[in-house]
Amino acid sequence: FAGSQEEAAEQQEAVNFLRHVRCVQCVKNGTAFCDRRAAAELGGYPGGWNKEMDECVEHNHASYEGCRSFAFGDGMQHAQGGFDHNGNIIRPFFIDTEERCRDID
């Protein structure tokens, strides 16, 4: 049982590292990273989060709005986002600096 918890923690750490790397690549390429993980996991998105949800997006207002409204892939809005313990809506993060990429978990 303890081994499976350790394996899960290691797997989570690897996923977070890869997401961080991808975020930095997006920013260095002049785009932004749309981080939909928290919104998908807490927002009741069917099937939860998957790595295809996180993507590089153009660094402009339209892409910011699309990211924050949970639009991806086909450009359609796929979820509203969940709510935190204070009742505030949880939306995807539009990340446009390497410093903010460090906050990915």
Side-chain angles (χ1 to χ4, degrees), residues 17-75:
F17 174 76
L18 293 174
R19 293 177 72 236
H20 170 81
V21 168
R22 185 160 185 213
C23 180
V24 170
Q25 289 172 336
C26 293
V27 171
K28 284 187 174 185
N29 288 335
T31 60
F33 181 74
C34 184
D35 177 5
R36 296 180 177 96
R37 186 172 187 173
E41 289 181 345
L42 300 173
Y45 185 79
W49 172 84
N50 65 66
K51 65 183 180 179
E52 287 77 30
M53 289 180 178
D54 292 342
E55 62 184 344
C56 296
V57 296
E58 293 297 318
H59 191 266
N60 59 40
H61 187 73
S63 293
Y64 170 84
E65 291 295 330
C67 171
R68 298 282 290 157
S69 67
F70 215 103
F72 67 94
D74 56 12

